[in-house]
Amino acid sequence: MLRAAKCGRLAAPATVRQGAAPRRVLASGAPSGASGAGAGPPPPTPNLRLACFGAGAAGGSLGGLVGLGGGAVMVPLMTSFAGMSQHAAVGTSSAAVAMTGICGWASFSCAGAVDLPAAAAVAVTAMLGARLGARLTARYSSVQLARVFAYYQLAVAPLVPLKSWLVKNRRGADPAPDTVEGALVLASGAPVADTGEGALANSAGALASDAVGAGRASEPANTGGWGGESDTGGGPRARELLLLSALGAGAGVASGLFGIGGGMVVTPGLCLLTDLPYTVVLGTTLAAMIPPSLVSAVTHSQMGNLAFAAALPLGIGAGLGAFAGGQIAVRVPEEPLQIFFTLFLAYMGGSKLRALRGK
């Protein structure tokens, strides 16, 4: 009897420990075991939905303005204000990034600022990389993933304004057009020194003449004519698309691993590897991120990292913001927006590293 009583007293703490372990796991947002996969998403509340809508609107609008999916904005906002774990924020952001891409693509397509062949070349390999990146998240804890993401933000922050400088140096004396209208005039090859109405008319006439003479469609974005090398053989255009396919693989891994659209990789790459005007680069990037983001979202959903209750308001906010941002981007110069976004990325990355100090 005495021995049985002792066994009963010893067994009770073990029962408490077994029951307490899941509560500790859920509170920390870490995986059961040490696998690094995210725990279940937080319960849906009005505050959660409002915070996710605001995060989506902020990420979508900034993404539409500078050609990014907005995940670099949405993920830290969801972890900071919506109380989501890093894994759940990354998985849920993937679904919202797809909405950013769809609405941003529609917005830029209204201005003819999308190169569909280039977008397809990036998207095909990006879909494969996105699944790989999503699977890699299971190898990291929430703290490790957050730290890597913070370093990633700091690393790519200078690329946003740097890409304009690289394009201007690569193209020599030809200025990068600030709007789609300027890109059309520059693509015509007509003189642009005279800014009067007569010069604009001559430029438009030269563009129409060239299009008719070459037998091309009136929208260069849908024919691959933006790059100036729209051959169908193994010429410069084919090599350009091959390089963009390699670029897409890296962008896909980043999309799945960090819950972003991969625009931080694709946008500078398009500037360096093609002669696309800047506004067309933005529209093409947004179109290219749609398939890999969908693949990433499905993969994260299978892994239990997608909070469906948060994905809906996040996606609505991202879609509305992306369409509005795209409409603004095709009409105004981008330099102030690039500088602001760079400072924002640097601030978010630095703040996250300070918060993770000692962990």
Side-chain angles (χ1 to χ4, degrees):
M1 292 290 295
L2 184 59
R3 197 164 33 245
K6 289 181 179 179
C7 292
R9 286 195 298 269
L10 291 176
T15 303
V16 173
R17 284 195 299 270
Q18 291 175 359
R23 287 195 292 271
R24 287 198 300 268
V25 170
L26 291 175
S28 64
S32 57
S35 63
T45 63
N47 289 338
L48 173 67
R49 294 189 178 96
L50 182 60
C52 288
F53 178 83
S61 58
L62 287 174
L65 285 170
V66 295
L68 304 177
V73 177
M74 290 184 280
V75 170
L77 289 179
M78 284 189 291
T79 56
S80 300
F81 300 104
M84 299 179 68
S85 69
Q86 185 73 19
H87 291 85
V90 168
T92 308
S93 173
S94 299
V97 166
M99 183 61 68
T100 299
I102 292 172
C103 294
W105 166 63
S107 184
F108 279 91
S109 292
C110 293
V114 179
D115 187 335
L116 290 181
V122 172
V124 169
T125 54
M127 288 189 291
L128 302 176
R131 188 167 182 84
L132 173 62
R135 293 292 182 185
L136 286 176
T137 59
R139 300 189 177 187
Y140 298 94
S141 68
S142 292
V143 172
Q144 291 173 327
L145 193 60
R147 183 173 285 111
V148 172
F149 185 72
Y151 282 124
Y152 181 79
Q153 286 179 301
L154 293 176
V156 301
L159 295 180
V160 179
L162 180 62
K163 63 190 175 187
S164 293
W165 180 82
L166 292 173
V167 170
K168 289 178 182 178
N169 281 270
R170 182 171 181 240
R171 293 174 181 170
D174 292 334
D178 288 334
T179 62
V180 172
E181 290 80 3
L184 289 172
V185 174
L186 185 61
S188 69
V192 295
D194 184 4
T195 58
E197 295 181 358
L200 290 177
N202 291 336
S203 299
L207 177 60
S209 168
D210 291 344
V212 172
R216 296 173 181 168
S218 60
E219 297 211 0
N222 295 328
T223 62
W226 283 111
E229 300 287 353
S230 56
D231 56 51
T232 57
R237 180 61 170 174
R239 290 192 294 271
E240 178 181 280
L241 295 178
L242 184 62
L243 291 174
L244 293 180
S245 297
L247 177 70
V253 173
S255 175
L257 186 60
F258 301 123
I260 61 177
M264 293 182 181
V265 179
V266 176
T267 307
L270 285 173
C271 289
L272 293 174
L273 299 176
T274 71
D275 292 325
L276 298 176
Y278 179 75
T279 46
V280 182
V281 167
L282 300 183
T284 303
T285 300
L286 290 168
M289 70 176 59
I290 299 173
S293 298
L294 291 175
V295 171
S296 177
V298 171
T299 305
H300 278 292
S301 177
Q302 295 171 347
M303 298 171 64
N305 294 338
L306 183 60
F308 290 96
L312 181 60
L314 187 72
I316 293 175
L320 294 175
F323 190 87
Q327 290 296 302
I328 296 174
V330 298
R331 291 174 171 84
V332 301
E334 74 277 359
E335 285 82 2
L337 300 173
Q338 290 177 342
I339 295 174
F340 170 76
F341 193 73
T342 296
L343 295 176
F344 182 84
L345 279 184
Y347 171 77
M348 295 301 293
S351 299
K352 178 61 71 174
L353 287 179
R354 285 194 299 271
L356 294 174
R357 188 178 301 169
K359 294 184 179 180

mmCIF file with all atom_site columns, all heavy atoms in Angstrom, residues 233-263:
data_model
loop_
_atom_site.group_PDB
_atom_site.id
_atom_site.type_symbol
_atom_site.label_atom_id
_atom_site.label_alt_id
_atom_site.label_comp_id
_atom_site.label_asym_id
_atom_site.label_entity_id
_atom_site.label_seq_id
_atom_site.pdbx_PDB_ins_code
_atom_site.Cartn_x
_atom_site.Cartn_y
_atom_site.Cartn_z
_atom_site.occupancy
_atom_site.B_iso_or_equiv
_atom_site.pdbx_formal_charge
_atom_site.auth_seq_id
_atom_site.auth_comp_id
_atom_site.auth_asym_id
_atom_site.auth_atom_id
_atom_site.pdbx_PDB_model_num
ATOM 1   N N   . GLY A 1 233 ? 14.074 32.697 -82.675 1.00 0.00 ? 233 GLY A N   1
ATOM 2   C CA  . GLY A 1 233 ? 15.077 31.649 -82.736 1.00 0.00 ? 233 GLY A CA  1
ATOM 3   C C   . GLY A 1 233 ? 15.915 31.611 -81.491 1.00 0.00 ? 233 GLY A C   1
ATOM 4   O O   . GLY A 1 233 ? 15.468 31.856 -80.391 1.00 0.00 ? 233 GLY A O   1
ATOM 5   N N   . GLY A 1 234 ? 17.198 31.298 -81.655 1.00 0.00 ? 234 GLY A N   1
ATOM 6   C CA  . GLY A 1 234 ? 18.086 31.190 -80.510 1.00 0.00 ? 234 GLY A CA  1
ATOM 7   C C   . GLY A 1 234 ? 18.905 32.438 -80.298 1.00 0.00 ? 234 GLY A C   1
ATOM 8   O O   . GLY A 1 234 ? 20.045 32.346 -79.870 1.00 0.00 ? 234 GLY A O   1
ATOM 9   N N   . GLY A 1 235 ? 18.349 33.609 -80.628 1.00 0.00 ? 235 GLY A N   1
ATOM 10  C CA  . GLY A 1 235 ? 19.065 34.858 -80.521 1.00 0.00 ? 235 GLY A CA  1
ATOM 11  C C   . GLY A 1 235 ? 19.057 35.443 -79.132 1.00 0.00 ? 235 GLY A C   1
ATOM 12  O O   . GLY A 1 235 ? 18.811 34.749 -78.138 1.00 0.00 ? 235 GLY A O   1
ATOM 13  N N   . PRO A 1 236 ? 19.298 36.759 -79.039 1.00 0.00 ? 236 PRO A N   1
ATOM 14  C CA  . PRO A 1 236 ? 19.382 37.420 -77.727 1.00 0.00 ? 236 PRO A CA  1
ATOM 15  C C   . PRO A 1 236 ? 18.132 37.244 -76.871 1.00 0.00 ? 236 PRO A C   1
ATOM 16  O O   . PRO A 1 236 ? 18.233 37.092 -75.660 1.00 0.00 ? 236 PRO A O   1
ATOM 17  C CB  . PRO A 1 236 ? 19.599 38.891 -78.090 1.00 0.00 ? 236 PRO A CB  1
ATOM 18  C CG  . PRO A 1 236 ? 20.223 38.856 -79.451 1.00 0.00 ? 236 PRO A CG  1
ATOM 19  C CD  . PRO A 1 236 ? 19.609 37.684 -80.143 1.00 0.00 ? 236 PRO A CD  1
ATOM 20  N N   . ARG A 1 237 ? 16.946 37.302 -77.481 1.00 0.00 ? 237 ARG A N   1
ATOM 21  C CA  . ARG A 1 237 ? 15.722 37.175 -76.703 1.00 0.00 ? 237 ARG A CA  1
ATOM 22  C C   . ARG A 1 237 ? 15.627 35.795 -76.049 1.00 0.00 ? 237 ARG A C   1
ATOM 23  O O   . ARG A 1 237 ? 15.217 35.681 -74.885 1.00 0.00 ? 237 ARG A O   1
ATOM 24  C CB  . ARG A 1 237 ? 14.512 37.411 -77.598 1.00 0.00 ? 237 ARG A CB  1
ATOM 25  C CG  . ARG A 1 237 ? 13.157 37.309 -76.885 1.00 0.00 ? 237 ARG A CG  1
ATOM 26  C CD  . ARG A 1 237 ? 13.013 38.330 -75.779 1.00 0.00 ? 237 ARG A CD  1
ATOM 27  N NE  . ARG A 1 237 ? 11.653 38.382 -75.260 1.00 0.00 ? 237 ARG A NE  1
ATOM 28  C CZ  . ARG A 1 237 ? 11.267 39.086 -74.222 1.00 0.00 ? 237 ARG A CZ  1
ATOM 29  N NH1 . ARG A 1 237 ? 12.162 39.832 -73.574 1.00 0.00 ? 237 ARG A NH1 1
ATOM 30  N NH2 . ARG A 1 237 ? 10.020 39.096 -73.813 1.00 0.00 ? 237 ARG A NH2 1
ATOM 31  N N   . ALA A 1 238 ? 15.992 34.734 -76.773 1.00 0.00 ? 238 ALA A N   1
ATOM 32  C CA  . ALA A 1 238 ? 15.944 33.385 -76.204 1.00 0.00 ? 238 ALA A CA  1
ATOM 33  C C   . ALA A 1 238 ? 16.936 33.243 -75.055 1.00 0.00 ? 238 ALA A C   1
ATOM 34  O O   . ALA A 1 238 ? 16.619 32.644 -74.019 1.00 0.00 ? 238 ALA A O   1
ATOM 35  C CB  . ALA A 1 238 ? 16.236 32.348 -77.292 1.00 0.00 ? 238 ALA A CB  1
ATOM 36  N N   . ARG A 1 239 ? 18.136 33.804 -75.220 1.00 0.00 ? 239 ARG A N   1
ATOM 37  C CA  . ARG A 1 239 ? 19.114 33.748 -74.129 1.00 0.00 ? 239 ARG A CA  1
ATOM 38  C C   . ARG A 1 239 ? 18.636 34.556 -72.928 1.00 0.00 ? 239 ARG A C   1
ATOM 39  O O   . ARG A 1 239 ? 18.855 34.172 -71.780 1.00 0.00 ? 239 ARG A O   1
ATOM 40  C CB  . ARG A 1 239 ? 20.471 34.271 -74.628 1.00 0.00 ? 239 ARG A CB  1
ATOM 41  C CG  . ARG A 1 239 ? 21.150 33.347 -75.622 1.00 0.00 ? 239 ARG A CG  1
ATOM 42  C CD  . ARG A 1 239 ? 22.601 33.766 -75.842 1.00 0.00 ? 239 ARG A CD  1
ATOM 43  N NE  . ARG A 1 239 ? 22.699 35.062 -76.483 1.00 0.00 ? 239 ARG A NE  1
ATOM 44  C CZ  . ARG A 1 239 ? 22.729 35.250 -77.791 1.00 0.00 ? 239 ARG A CZ  1
ATOM 45  N NH1 . ARG A 1 239 ? 22.643 34.208 -78.611 1.00 0.00 ? 239 ARG A NH1 1
ATOM 46  N NH2 . ARG A 1 239 ? 22.841 36.465 -78.308 1.00 0.00 ? 239 ARG A NH2 1
ATOM 47  N N   . GLU A 1 240 ? 17.985 35.667 -73.200 1.00 0.00 ? 240 GLU A N   1
ATOM 48  C CA  . GLU A 1 240 ? 17.446 36.490 -72.121 1.00 0.00 ? 240 GLU A CA  1
ATOM 49  C C   . GLU A 1 240 ? 16.401 35.723 -71.313 1.00 0.00 ? 240 GLU A C   1
ATOM 50  O O   . GLU A 1 240 ? 16.409 35.742 -70.073 1.00 0.00 ? 240 GLU A O   1
ATOM 51  C CB  . GLU A 1 240 ? 16.829 37.752 -72.731 1.00 0.00 ? 240 GLU A CB  1
ATOM 52  C CG  . GLU A 1 240 ? 16.191 38.698 -71.741 1.00 0.00 ? 240 GLU A CG  1
ATOM 53  C CD  . GLU A 1 240 ? 15.586 39.903 -72.447 1.00 0.00 ? 240 GLU A CD  1
ATOM 54  O OE1 . GLU A 1 240 ? 16.344 40.828 -72.785 1.00 0.00 ? 240 GLU A OE1 1
ATOM 55  O OE2 . GLU A 1 240 ? 14.357 39.901 -72.671 1.00 0.00 ? 240 GLU A OE2 1
ATOM 56  N N   . LEU A 1 241 ? 15.504 35.019 -71.998 1.00 0.00 ? 241 LEU A N   1
ATOM 57  C CA  . LEU A 1 241 ? 14.480 34.241 -71.305 1.00 0.00 ? 241 LEU A CA  1
ATOM 58  C C   . LEU A 1 241 ? 15.089 33.085 -70.528 1.00 0.00 ? 241 LEU A C   1
ATOM 59  O O   . LEU A 1 241 ? 14.581 32.719 -69.456 1.00 0.00 ? 241 LEU A O   1
ATOM 60  C CB  . LEU A 1 241 ? 13.450 33.717 -72.310 1.00 0.00 ? 241 LEU A CB  1
ATOM 61  C CG  . LEU A 1 241 ? 12.620 34.789 -73.030 1.00 0.00 ? 241 LEU A CG  1
ATOM 62  C CD1 . LEU A 1 241 ? 11.664 34.141 -74.028 1.00 0.00 ? 241 LEU A CD1 1
ATOM 63  C CD2 . LEU A 1 241 ? 11.835 35.638 -72.033 1.00 0.00 ? 241 LEU A CD2 1
ATOM 64  N N   . LEU A 1 242 ? 16.172 32.525 -71.030 1.00 0.00 ? 242 LEU A N   1
ATOM 65  C CA  . LEU A 1 242 ? 16.845 31.444 -70.307 1.00 0.00 ? 242 LEU A CA  1
ATOM 66  C C   . LEU A 1 242 ? 17.440 31.963 -69.006 1.00 0.00 ? 242 LEU A C   1
ATOM 67  O O   . LEU A 1 242 ? 17.349 31.308 -67.954 1.00 0.00 ? 242 LEU A O   1
ATOM 68  C CB  . LEU A 1 242 ? 17.939 30.829 -71.188 1.00 0.00 ? 242 LEU A CB  1
ATOM 69  C CG  . LEU A 1 242 ? 18.674 29.624 -70.602 1.00 0.00 ? 242 LEU A CG  1
ATOM 70  C CD1 . LEU A 1 242 ? 17.710 28.475 -70.352 1.00 0.00 ? 242 LEU A CD1 1
ATOM 71  C CD2 . LEU A 1 242 ? 19.796 29.180 -71.544 1.00 0.00 ? 242 LEU A CD2 1
ATOM 72  N N   . LEU A 1 243 ? 18.052 33.140 -69.052 1.00 0.00 ? 243 LEU A N   1
ATOM 73  C CA  . LEU A 1 243 ? 18.592 33.742 -67.833 1.00 0.00 ? 243 LEU A CA  1
ATOM 74  C C   . LEU A 1 243 ? 17.483 34.075 -66.838 1.00 0.00 ? 243 LEU A C   1
ATOM 75  O O   . LEU A 1 243 ? 17.645 33.915 -65.621 1.00 0.00 ? 243 LEU A O   1
ATOM 76  C CB  . LEU A 1 243 ? 19.385 35.006 -68.183 1.00 0.00 ? 243 LEU A CB  1
ATOM 77  C CG  . LEU A 1 243 ? 20.703 34.801 -68.930 1.00 0.00 ? 243 LEU A CG  1
ATOM 78  C CD1 . LEU A 1 243 ? 21.298 36.147 -69.337 1.00 0.00 ? 243 LEU A CD1 1
ATOM 79  C CD2 . LEU A 1 243 ? 21.689 34.026 -68.068 1.00 0.00 ? 243 LEU A CD2 1
ATOM 80  N N   . LEU A 1 244 ? 16.349 34.515 -67.347 1.00 0.00 ? 244 LEU A N   1
ATOM 81  C CA  . LEU A 1 244 ? 15.233 34.824 -66.465 1.00 0.00 ? 244 LEU A CA  1
ATOM 82  C C   . LEU A 1 244 ? 14.675 33.567 -65.795 1.00 0.00 ? 244 LEU A C   1
ATOM 83  O O   . LEU A 1 244 ? 14.183 33.626 -64.668 1.00 0.00 ? 244 LEU A O   1
ATOM 84  C CB  . LEU A 1 244 ? 14.126 35.534 -67.249 1.00 0.00 ? 244 LEU A CB  1
ATOM 85  C CG  . LEU A 1 244 ? 14.466 36.932 -67.768 1.00 0.00 ? 244 LEU A CG  1
ATOM 86  C CD1 . LEU A 1 244 ? 13.281 37.531 -68.521 1.00 0.00 ? 244 LEU A CD1 1
ATOM 87  C CD2 . LEU A 1 244 ? 14.877 37.860 -66.635 1.00 0.00 ? 244 LEU A CD2 1
ATOM 88  N N   . SER A 1 245 ? 14.764 32.437 -66.465 1.00 0.00 ? 245 SER A N   1
ATOM 89  C CA  . SER A 1 245 ? 14.334 31.181 -65.853 1.00 0.00 ? 245 SER A CA  1
ATOM 90  C C   . SER A 1 245 ? 15.217 30.834 -64.657 1.00 0.00 ? 245 SER A C   1
ATOM 91  O O   . SER A 1 245 ? 14.726 30.383 -63.615 1.00 0.00 ? 245 SER A O   1
ATOM 92  C CB  . SER A 1 245 ? 14.374 30.045 -66.886 1.00 0.00 ? 245 SER A CB  1
ATOM 93  O OG  . SER A 1 245 ? 13.474 30.292 -67.946 1.00 0.00 ? 245 SER A OG  1
ATOM 94  N N   . ALA A 1 246 ? 16.529 31.042 -64.801 1.00 0.00 ? 246 ALA A N   1
ATOM 95  C CA  . ALA A 1 246 ? 17.434 30.805 -63.671 1.00 0.00 ? 246 ALA A CA  1
ATOM 96  C C   . ALA A 1 246 ? 17.141 31.787 -62.535 1.00 0.00 ? 246 ALA A C   1
ATOM 97  O O   . ALA A 1 246 ? 17.183 31.424 -61.356 1.00 0.00 ? 246 ALA A O   1
ATOM 98  C CB  . ALA A 1 246 ? 18.888 30.941 -64.132 1.00 0.00 ? 246 ALA A CB  1
ATOM 99  N N   . LEU A 1 247 ? 16.827 33.017 -62.891 1.00 0.00 ? 247 LEU A N   1
ATOM 100 C CA  . LEU A 1 247 ? 16.470 34.016 -61.887 1.00 0.00 ? 247 LEU A CA  1
ATOM 101 C C   . LEU A 1 247 ? 15.219 33.597 -61.124 1.00 0.00 ? 247 LEU A C   1
ATOM 102 O O   . LEU A 1 247 ? 15.120 33.770 -59.905 1.00 0.00 ? 247 LEU A O   1
ATOM 103 C CB  . LEU A 1 247 ? 16.256 35.363 -62.568 1.00 0.00 ? 247 LEU A CB  1
ATOM 104 C CG  . LEU A 1 247 ? 15.801 36.525 -61.688 1.00 0.00 ? 247 LEU A CG  1
ATOM 105 C CD1 . LEU A 1 247 ? 16.911 36.953 -60.752 1.00 0.00 ? 247 LEU A CD1 1
ATOM 106 C CD2 . LEU A 1 247 ? 15.354 37.707 -62.561 1.00 0.00 ? 247 LEU A CD2 1
ATOM 107 N N   . GLY A 1 248 ? 14.258 33.011 -61.840 1.00 0.00 ? 248 GLY A N   1
ATOM 108 C CA  . GLY A 1 248 ? 13.018 32.597 -61.214 1.00 0.00 ? 248 GLY A CA  1
ATOM 109 C C   . GLY A 1 248 ? 13.207 31.527 -60.155 1.00 0.00 ? 248 GLY A C   1
ATOM 110 O O   . GLY A 1 248 ? 12.475 31.495 -59.155 1.00 0.00 ? 248 GLY A O   1
ATOM 111 N N   . ALA A 1 249 ? 14.175 30.634 -60.344 1.00 0.00 ? 249 ALA A N   1
ATOM 112 C CA  . ALA A 1 249 ? 14.417 29.581 -59.359 1.00 0.00 ? 249 ALA A CA  1
ATOM 113 C C   . ALA A 1 249 ? 14.809 30.177 -58.004 1.00 0.00 ? 249 ALA A C   1
ATOM 114 O O   . ALA A 1 249 ? 14.290 29.779 -56.959 1.00 0.00 ? 249 ALA A O   1
ATOM 115 C CB  . ALA A 1 249 ? 15.499 28.627 -59.869 1.00 0.00 ? 249 ALA A CB  1
ATOM 116 N N   . GLY A 1 250 ? 15.717 31.140 -58.016 1.00 0.00 ? 250 GLY A N   1
ATOM 117 C CA  . GLY A 1 250 ? 16.122 31.783 -56.777 1.00 0.00 ? 250 GLY A CA  1
ATOM 118 C C   . GLY A 1 250 ? 14.991 32.575 -56.152 1.00 0.00 ? 250 GLY A C   1
ATOM 119 O O   . GLY A 1 250 ? 14.812 32.578 -54.928 1.00 0.00 ? 250 GLY A O   1
ATOM 120 N N   . ALA A 1 251 ? 14.198 33.243 -56.980 1.00 0.00 ? 251 ALA A N   1
ATOM 121 C CA  . ALA A 1 251 ? 13.066 34.006 -56.458 1.00 0.00 ? 251 ALA A CA  1
ATOM 122 C C   . ALA A 1 251 ? 12.028 33.087 -55.832 1.00 0.00 ? 251 ALA A C   1
ATOM 123 O O   . ALA A 1 251 ? 11.400 33.432 -54.826 1.00 0.00 ? 251 ALA A O   1
ATOM 124 C CB  . ALA A 1 251 ? 12.433 34.828 -57.574 1.00 0.00 ? 251 ALA A CB  1
ATOM 125 N N   . GLY A 1 252 ? 11.847 31.905 -56.404 1.00 0.00 ? 252 GLY A N   1
ATOM 126 C CA  . GLY A 1 252 ? 10.880 30.958 -55.861 1.00 0.00 ? 252 GLY A CA  1
ATOM 127 C C   . GLY A 1 252 ? 11.270 30.463 -54.480 1.00 0.00 ? 252 GLY A C   1
ATOM 128 O O   . GLY A 1 252 ? 10.430 30.326 -53.596 1.00 0.00 ? 252 GLY A O   1
ATOM 129 N N   . VAL A 1 253 ? 12.560 30.164 -54.294 1.00 0.00 ? 253 VAL A N   1
ATOM 130 C CA  . VAL A 1 253 ? 13.034 29.724 -52.974 1.00 0.00 ? 253 VAL A CA  1
ATOM 131 C C   . VAL A 1 253 ? 12.784 30.815 -51.937 1.00 0.00 ? 253 VAL A C   1
ATOM 132 O O   . VAL A 1 253 ? 12.309 30.547 -50.818 1.00 0.00 ? 253 VAL A O   1
ATOM 133 C CB  . VAL A 1 253 ? 14.524 29.351 -53.026 1.00 0.00 ? 253 VAL A CB  1
ATOM 134 C CG1 . VAL A 1 253 ? 15.056 29.060 -51.630 1.00 0.00 ? 253 VAL A CG1 1
ATOM 135 C CG2 . VAL A 1 253 ? 14.731 28.137 -53.929 1.00 0.00 ? 253 VAL A CG2 1
ATOM 136 N N   . ALA A 1 254 ? 13.089 32.067 -52.281 1.00 0.00 ? 254 ALA A N   1
ATOM 137 C CA  . ALA A 1 254 ? 12.843 33.176 -51.366 1.00 0.00 ? 254 ALA A CA  1
ATOM 138 C C   . ALA A 1 254 ? 11.358 33.334 -51.074 1.00 0.00 ? 254 ALA A C   1
ATOM 139 O O   . ALA A 1 254 ? 10.961 33.642 -49.946 1.00 0.00 ? 254 ALA A O   1
ATOM 140 C CB  . ALA A 1 254 ? 13.410 34.471 -51.949 1.00 0.00 ? 254 ALA A CB  1
ATOM 141 N N   . SER A 1 255 ? 10.518 33.091 -52.077 1.00 0.00 ? 255 SER A N   1
ATOM 142 C CA  . SER A 1 255 ? 9.080  33.213 -51.890 1.00 0.00 ? 255 SER A CA  1
ATOM 143 C C   . SER A 1 255 ? 8.562  32.196 -50.887 1.00 0.00 ? 255 SER A C   1
ATOM 144 O O   . SER A 1 255 ? 7.789  32.530 -49.976 1.00 0.00 ? 255 SER A O   1
ATOM 145 C CB  . SER A 1 255 ? 8.368  33.023 -53.244 1.00 0.00 ? 255 SER A CB  1
ATOM 146 O OG  . SER A 1 255 ? 6.966  33.019 -53.079 1.00 0.00 ? 255 SER A OG  1
ATOM 147 N N   . GLY A 1 256 ? 8.980  30.947 -51.017 1.00 0.00 ? 256 GLY A N   1
ATOM 148 C CA  . GLY A 1 256 ? 8.514  29.918 -50.101 1.00 0.00 ? 256 GLY A CA  1
ATOM 149 C C   . GLY A 1 256 ? 9.127  30.012 -48.724 1.00 0.00 ? 256 GLY A C   1
ATOM 150 O O   . GLY A 1 256 ? 8.477  29.706 -47.725 1.00 0.00 ? 256 GLY A O   1
ATOM 151 N N   . LEU A 1 257 ? 10.364 30.454 -48.645 1.00 0.00 ? 257 LEU A N   1
ATOM 152 C CA  . LEU A 1 257 ? 11.079 30.482 -47.362 1.00 0.00 ? 257 LEU A CA  1
ATOM 153 C C   . LEU A 1 257 ? 10.652 31.654 -46.496 1.00 0.00 ? 257 LEU A C   1
ATOM 154 O O   . LEU A 1 257 ? 10.539 31.529 -45.271 1.00 0.00 ? 257 LEU A O   1
ATOM 155 C CB  . LEU A 1 257 ? 12.584 30.545 -47.614 1.00 0.00 ? 257 LEU A CB  1
ATOM 156 C CG  . LEU A 1 257 ? 13.501 30.432 -46.394 1.00 0.00 ? 257 LEU A CG  1
ATOM 157 C CD1 . LEU A 1 257 ? 13.285 29.110 -45.677 1.00 0.00 ? 257 LEU A CD1 1
ATOM 158 C CD2 . LEU A 1 257 ? 14.959 30.580 -46.818 1.00 0.00 ? 257 LEU A CD2 1
ATOM 159 N N   . PHE A 1 258 ? 10.393 32.814 -47.114 1.00 0.00 ? 258 PHE A N   1
ATOM 160 C CA  . PHE A 1 258 ? 10.113 34.022 -46.349 1.00 0.00 ? 258 PHE A CA  1
ATOM 161 C C   . PHE A 1 258 ? 8.686  34.532 -46.504 1.00 0.00 ? 258 PHE A C   1
ATOM 162 O O   . PHE A 1 258 ? 8.324  35.542 -45.900 1.00 0.00 ? 258 PHE A O   1
ATOM 163 C CB  . PHE A 1 258 ? 11.087 35.134 -46.745 1.00 0.00 ? 258 PHE A CB  1
ATOM 164 C CG  . PHE A 1 258 ? 12.522 34.785 -46.519 1.00 0.00 ? 258 PHE A CG  1
ATOM 165 C CD1 . PHE A 1 258 ? 13.432 34.819 -47.555 1.00 0.00 ? 258 PHE A CD1 1
ATOM 166 C CD2 . PHE A 1 258 ? 12.968 34.406 -45.266 1.00 0.00 ? 258 PHE A CD2 1
ATOM 167 C CE1 . PHE A 1 258 ? 14.768 34.486 -47.352 1.00 0.00 ? 258 PHE A CE1 1
ATOM 168 C CE2 . PHE A 1 258 ? 14.294 34.075 -45.050 1.00 0.00 ? 258 PHE A CE2 1
ATOM 169 C CZ  . PHE A 1 258 ? 15.196 34.111 -46.095 1.00 0.00 ? 258 PHE A CZ  1
ATOM 170 N N   . GLY A 1 259 ? 7.859  33.868 -47.314 1.00 0.00 ? 259 GLY A N   1
ATOM 171 C CA  . GLY A 1 259 ? 6.486  34.324 -47.485 1.00 0.00 ? 259 GLY A CA  1
ATOM 172 C C   . GLY A 1 259 ? 6.365  35.594 -48.289 1.00 0.00 ? 259 GLY A C   1
ATOM 173 O O   . GLY A 1 259 ? 5.424  36.364 -48.115 1.00 0.00 ? 259 GLY A O   1
ATOM 174 N N   . ILE A 1 260 ? 7.298  35.851 -49.190 1.00 0.00 ? 260 ILE A N   1
ATOM 175 C CA  . ILE A 1 260 ? 7.282  37.050 -50.023 1.00 0.00 ? 260 ILE A CA  1
ATOM 176 C C   . ILE A 1 260 ? 7.016  36.640 -51.466 1.00 0.00 ? 260 ILE A C   1
ATOM 177 O O   . ILE A 1 260 ? 6.937  35.455 -51.785 1.00 0.00 ? 260 ILE A O   1
ATOM 178 C CB  . ILE A 1 260 ? 8.614  37.823 -49.927 1.00 0.00 ? 260 ILE A CB  1
ATOM 179 C CG1 . ILE A 1 260 ? 9.769  36.952 -50.419 1.00 0.00 ? 260 ILE A CG1 1
ATOM 180 C CG2 . ILE A 1 260 ? 8.872  38.275 -48.496 1.00 0.00 ? 260 ILE A CG2 1
ATOM 181 C CD1 . ILE A 1 260 ? 11.111 37.649 -50.432 1.00 0.00 ? 260 ILE A CD1 1
ATOM 182 N N   . GLY A 1 261 ? 6.883  37.605 -52.350 1.00 0.00 ? 261 GLY A N   1
ATOM 183 C CA  . GLY A 1 261 ? 6.622  37.283 -53.740 1.00 0.00 ? 261 GLY A CA  1
ATOM 184 C C   . GLY A 1 261 ? 7.857  37.033 -54.571 1.00 0.00 ? 261 GLY A C   1
ATOM 185 O O   . GLY A 1 261 ? 7.768  36.612 -55.716 1.00 0.00 ? 261 GLY A O   1
ATOM 186 N N   . GLY A 1 262 ? 9.018  37.291 -54.013 1.00 0.00 ? 262 GLY A N   1
ATOM 187 C CA  . GLY A 1 262 ? 10.251 37.141 -54.771 1.00 0.00 ? 262 GLY A CA  1
ATOM 188 C C   . GLY A 1 262 ? 10.624 38.365 -55.570 1.00 0.00 ? 262 GLY A C   1
ATOM 189 O O   . GLY A 1 262 ? 11.610 38.353 -56.317 1.00 0.00 ? 262 GLY A O   1
ATOM 190 N N   . GLY A 1 263 ? 9.834  39.446 -55.429 1.00 0.00 ? 263 GLY A N   1
ATOM 191 C CA  . GLY A 1 263 ? 10.130 40.650 -56.197 1.00 0.00 ? 263 GLY A CA  1
ATOM 192 C C   . GLY A 1 263 ? 11.451 41.282 -55.839 1.00 0.00 ? 263 GLY A C   1
ATOM 193 O O   . GLY A 1 263 ? 12.062 41.978 -56.664 1.00 0.00 ? 263 GLY A O   1
#
